[in-house]
Amino acid sequence: MNLFGKQTVSMTWDFPEANIFLETVGGYLPAAQYIADCVETLPWNVEPGAASQANAASNTITAGKVVSTDPPYYDNIGYADLSDFFYVWLRHAMRGVFPALFATMVVPKDDELVATPGRHGGKDAAELFFLEGMTQAMRRLAEQAHAAYPTTIYYAFKQAETTELGTSSTGWETFLEAVIRSGFAITGTWPLRSEQEFRMRGLGANALASSIVLVCRQRSIAAPSISRRDFMRELKDELKDAVQVMIGGGEGVSPVAPVDLAQAVIGPGMAIFSKYSAVLEADGSSMTVHTALTLINRMLTEGADEFDADTQFCLGWFDEQGWAAGEFGKADVLARAKGTSVDHVRDARVVEAGYGKVRLLKPAEYPSDWSPLKDNNTPVWEAMHQLIRALRNEGETLAGTLLAGMPDRAEPIRNLAYRLYTLCERKGWADDARAYNELITSWTGIEAASHEKGHLGSQTKFEM
Ligand SMILES: C[S@@+](CC[C@H](N)C(=O)[O-])C[C@H]1O[C@@H](n2cnc3c(N)ncnc32)[C@H](O)[C@@H]1O
């Protein structure tokens, strides 16, 4: 039986399946090795560090310090409840050594900043407790931390509620509300790959792969307000560039994985929102964080006009039908609106059209002997799905070989993969979403293989 098995305790959560005798995560030896690695790199010849316990909402420890903090994630983990599991045994053994630490029968819970409905008498009351407590804790940081340095806050919480209207999350919203209310302006965000991809919550789900570091400074008391219309204009002007930087990656910087993009884009969006004392709606009320997040998220799916007409048609048809067949009449109207025709898209060999129906071909149905060098009608849609087929069937090397034959397509292909990921996630099409995510996460390898092959025209002996 597993160490902790599927036992029923007062909370239902993931359960560990670790085999402590194996040399994998959860095994005794790797765990000891992790600790040894840390101990080895400790700087022994500097001032010793110190640890003390305090409620963040009333602490004095942070006064005049540089603060980098990893706060609780809304209702993600009840640390105090979890600690009880161990505390009761530790208390037996260690009460005599640390009487102050083990003074209570169980772990103290009143000050814990988590939104636990059971503890606070309902979902709304739990949210209010978290918002007020977190605002107080953040205000404490904003007022006390060293003014010359930004405060950095780690936040790893996947946006949870995704609907046709957009993606939002109560956990995120409440947390950001607290940060902004406390007097902080978010001046930057750094997506950071930190969570192990094979952890329990990651299995079988498109789980978050990055944490976000929010970089905060105290907002000036003279910060002006702005109208909704001007806010939208600023979002439009600045977000597009910010997103391009995120998905483009760069020297030594990996592109943000599609699974993280919706969350990563919150940073630059919130930087605009939080530098103003308020964003004023037409009726004079202040825009809520919820509305701001919805508007920021919507920016991710706007601007499809950057693609060729056939790809725009495919995007629209996929949005409507997925991979299923739809009425020819409807497809015809959509194709005309995008400046192409069903015949033209069929000639590009990305749809099957006949008997009054039109259906997008799945990557597995694409011909495996395709070469960009021999195809003079290649919408980005086709190029990207050919890469997915090649990656799946034959790995990064072959996908890289295909990319070498169409180097100018690299950027639009990547943009399309991000866009399709966002669309699939919104629709709840997890398998498709995963395929687009995989293309991006393998991108560095595909590009390296493509460079190895040499770009079309740069090598005369190039063969496909
Ligand atoms: C996301 S965890 C930080 C984990 C830590 N970075 C680590 O790697 O172990 C958030 C922590 O905040 C603590 N916490 C909750 N409420 C708090 C409060 N009012 N004051 C200080 N810390 C609190 C939790 O007990 C938990 O340890």
Side-chain angles (χ1 to χ4, degrees):
M1 190 190 144
N2 304 316
L3 196 55
F4 298 116
K6 292 181 182 176
Q7 298 179 41
T8 309
V9 287
S10 60
M11 54 199 287
T12 309
W13 206 49
D14 292 339
F15 49 90
E17 290 270 16
N19 181 341
I20 58 168
F21 300 110
L22 286 185
E23 290 194 20
T24 56
V25 174
Y28 180 81
L29 277 179
Q33 190 59 50
Y34 290 147
I35 296 169
D37 289 346
C38 294
V39 172
E40 242 172 40
T41 53
L42 284 178
W44 294 111
N45 53 355
V46 294
E47 282 290 304
S52 54
Q53 237 181 353
N55 181 355
S58 54
N59 89 81
T60 50
I61 309 168
T62 53
K65 308 264 177 20
V66 177
V67 178
S68 194
T69 179
D70 182 15
Y73 308 143
Y74 197 66
D75 60 354
N76 230 14
I77 299 175
Y79 284 98
D81 285 319
L82 202 59
S83 303
D84 274 341
F85 190 84
F86 304 96
Y87 181 90
V88 289
W89 304 106
L90 269 178
R91 187 169 187 264
H92 261 295
M94 305 298 285
R95 190 164 33 153
V97 187
F98 298 114
L101 267 185
F102 290 99
T104 51
M105 293 284 286
V106 288
V107 174
K109 304 194 174 58
D110 288 355
D111 292 335
E112 191 184 24
L113 283 174
V114 281
T116 316
R119 205 181 286 168
H120 299 289
K123 200 167 170 286
D124 291 346
E127 187 178 335
L128 189 67
F129 171 83
F130 182 83
L131 176 62
E132 287 180 349
M134 192 53 85
T135 306
Q136 215 175 324
M138 289 294 145
R139 186 167 295 141
R140 196 91 189 148
L141 294 186
E143 287 168 359
Q144 293 195 126
H146 199 299
Y149 300 94
T151 293
T152 43
I153 305 170
Y154 296 77
Y155 211 75
F157 196 92
K158 185 169 162 54
Q159 291 207 313
E161 296 132 32
T162 306
T163 66
E164 283 285 299
L165 294 175
T167 309
S168 62
S169 151
T170 312
W172 246 115
E173 277 169 32
T174 313
F175 180 71
L176 288 173
E177 188 90 50
V179 172
I180 293 167
R181 271 194 199 185
S182 74
F184 269 135
I186 297 163
T187 57
T189 47
W190 304 324
L192 189 80
R193 196 148 289 263
S194 67
E195 307 284 310
Q196 293 181 338
E197 286 172 36
F198 40 80
R199 75 201 191 285
M200 289 303 288
R201 285 175 60 85
L203 298 180
N206 293 325
L208 189 77
S210 304
S211 288
I212 302 293
V213 183
L214 300 174
V215 186
C216 303
R217 285 186 185 271
Q218 239 185 356
R219 185 173 43 245
S220 150
I221 42 169
S225 61
I226 187 176
S227 69
R228 179 189 176 106
R229 181 201 278 224
D230 289 342
F231 171 64
M232 292 294 289
R233 192 172 304 142
E234 207 170 324
L235 271 189
K236 225 179 189 137
D237 286 348
E238 290 186 20
L239 270 199
K240 204 170 172 215
D241 291 346
V243 169
Q244 279 310 322
V245 171
M246 284 179 185
I247 69 186
E251 189 98 338
V253 182
S254 323
V256 173
V259 63
D260 300 322
L261 190 63
Q263 193 180 53
V265 78
I266 286 174
M270 274 292 134
I272 299 170
F273 181 76
S274 68
K275 74 179 176 196
Y276 296 105
S277 58
V279 176
L280 300 175
E281 299 279 12
D283 64 1
S285 63
S286 295
M287 182 182 281
T288 60
V289 168
H290 174 81
T291 306
L293 285 179
T294 311
L295 294 174
I296 291 166
N297 212 274
R298 215 177 277 164
M299 293 282 164
L300 275 184
T301 46
E302 275 179 10
D305 46 2
E306 71 199 68
F307 299 115
D308 57 86
D310 286 351
T311 298
Q312 287 185 42
F313 164 81
C314 294
L315 257 173
W317 197 237
F318 186 63
D319 190 3
E320 246 174 65
Q321 300 289 339
W323 302 109
E327 297 298 326
F328 177 86
K330 273 191 183 175
D332 187 45
V333 171
L334 179 65
R336 282 167 202 274
K338 300 294 182 192
T340 182
S341 65
V342 173
D343 280 353
H344 195 266
V345 187
R346 190 195 44 208
D347 291 348
R349 291 183 299 168
V350 291
V351 298
E352 183 183 69
Y355 305 105
K357 297 277 185 195
V358 176
R359 176 179 76 82
L360 283 162
L361 296 177
K362 289 184 165 188
E365 297 175 273
Y366 280 41
S368 57
D369 58 354
W370 178 82
S371 158
L373 303 181
K374 296 175 193 149
D375 186 353
N376 57 6
N377 179 12
T378 308
V380 175
W381 181 276
E382 182 188 15
M384 190 206 65
H385 286 95
Q386 275 290 2
L387 281 195
I388 287 182
R389 180 200 57 74
L391 181 67
R392 271 201 183 150
N393 296 348
E394 287 147 284
E396 288 177 1
T397 309
L398 189 79
T401 306
L402 292 186
L403 187 61
M406 46 180 182
D408 52 328
R409 290 294 168 94
E411 195 178 321
I413 288 175
R414 241 184 8 223
N415 287 353
L416 184 61
Y418 275 100
R419 178 173 294 269
L420 281 168
Y421 175 84
T422 309
L423 181 84
C424 291
E425 218 210 12
R426 208 166 269 183
K427 300 263 189 194
W429 300 340
D431 283 344
D432 291 312
R434 205 169 298 138
Y436 300 122
N437 194 54
E438 271 165 20
L439 183 66
I440 298 295
T441 48
S442 310
W443 194 259
T444 315
I446 297 173
E447 247 180 358
S450 137
H451 288 142
E452 217 153 275
K453 264 279 166 199
H455 287 169
L456 170 65
S458 62
Q459 286 196 1
T460 42
K461 284 195 201 135
F462 180 78
E463 272 180 27
M464 299 197 49

